[in-house]
Amino acid sequence: NEMRQEMDRKNQMITDFAQNWTHQNNNSTAGVRTVYVLDQGRLNDELMEWNARLLGFNTSDRNHVYTDAKLQITNRRKKKNNDYTFTIAQNCAEKVPANSTDCLRNSFSRDGMHPCVNTVGPRLAAAVACQLQCAFDGEKEWELSWSCSQDCNERFMNSTNLILA
């Protein structure tokens, strides 16, 4: 899937930028000293794949064809007249035919963009708190600090041990 490869490439560029960031003024404590990456994309991808499996989509295909099944949503706001699509595997709690106009929504994202605060929010908050702990632990050298940040992503920004009610 070309779109998937492009997203992976851009995510890697962001990670490389953050990992290679250097503070420009070593004599000052002002400015950005370290840049971390909160890998929310990985969490979103894993949640969508997990939900797709629950809905009965074939998730073993390397092209992620389950992402092609879309809902056709009509914009009900009067300000804009454009329609848009949602990915069934990311938004629905039940499998509906492609191009349906609605579905029962799942518990991790109602619109495919914003995570549900009651189910995914605590994991995001824990990941941010973990990253902040890495950033403000003045005892660590940069390499250890970056490793700490990556550990936070490994602990919180994936679907391991995730319980959705």
Side-chain angles (χ1 to χ4, degrees), residues 43 47 107-109 115-125 162 164:
L43 177 61
L47 287 172
S107 64
F108 65 87
S109 179
C116 292
V117 176
N118 292 340
T119 53
V120 184
R123 184 164 285 244
L124 294 173
L162 185 66
L164 296 175

Side-chain angles (χ1 to χ4, degrees), residues 2 4 15 32 37 48 52 57 60-61 75 78 95 101 116 124 149 157:
E2 285 181 37
R4 178 80 193 144
T15 300
V32 177
V37 175
M48 182 167 52
F57 285 98
S60 61
D61 184 347
N75 191 343
K78 301 294 180 195
K95 191 171 184 179
T101 57
C116 292
L124 294 173
S149 170
M157 300 313 289

Side-chain angles (χ1 to χ4, degrees):
N1 188 329
E2 285 181 37
M3 184 173 75
R4 178 80 193 144
Q5 290 173 347
E6 182 65 15
M7 285 178 54
D8 288 344
R9 189 180 71 73
K10 288 184 179 184
N11 284 339
Q12 187 59 51
M13 287 173 59
I14 292 168
T15 300
D16 291 346
F17 172 83
Q19 194 169 11
N20 293 316
W21 176 265
T22 54
H23 185 245
Q24 299 301 314
N25 187 352
N26 292 331
N27 296 330
S28 171
T29 58
V32 177
R33 299 192 67 77
T34 306
V35 176
Y36 296 128
V37 175
L38 186 66
D39 194 0
Q40 189 172 345
R42 175 180 170 190
L43 177 61
N44 291 342
D45 289 348
E46 288 185 16
L47 287 172
M48 182 167 52
E49 184 175 344
W50 174 73
N51 194 55
R53 264 194 312 277
L54 291 176
L55 296 178
F57 285 98
N58 176 9
T59 59
S60 61
D61 184 347
R62 291 180 50 98
N63 291 325
H64 304 285
V65 293
Y66 59 88
T67 63
D68 294 338
K70 307 281 187 191
L71 288 175
Q72 298 297 323
I73 308 296
T74 301
N75 191 343
R76 296 188 176 116
R77 295 183 196 160
K78 301 294 180 195
K79 295 178 184 177
K80 297 180 181 179
N81 292 326
N82 57 334
D83 294 345
Y84 51 96
T85 59
F86 285 162
T87 303
I88 292 171
Q90 189 168 20
N91 296 94
C92 298
E94 61 187 0
K95 191 171 184 179
V96 296
N99 300 318
S100 294
T101 57
D102 206 1
C103 67
L104 177 67
R105 300 302 164 92
N106 65 36
S107 64
F108 65 87
S109 179
R110 302 283 189 224
D111 63 5
M113 183 184 309
H114 302 96
C116 292
V117 176
N118 292 340
T119 53
V120 184
R123 184 164 285 244
L124 294 173
V128 170
C130 185
Q131 296 261 349
L132 288 170
Q133 186 175 7
C134 297
F136 290 104
D137 184 353
E139 301 295 316
K140 291 184 178 160
E141 293 295 324
W142 181 87
E143 290 82 9
L144 293 174
S145 175
W146 179 259
S147 176
C148 177
S149 170
Q150 293 299 96
D151 289 345
C152 294
N153 282 319
E154 288 300 316
R155 287 175 56 200
F156 300 109
M157 300 313 289
N158 60 61
S159 60
T160 305
N161 299 321
L162 185 66
I163 299 172
L164 296 175

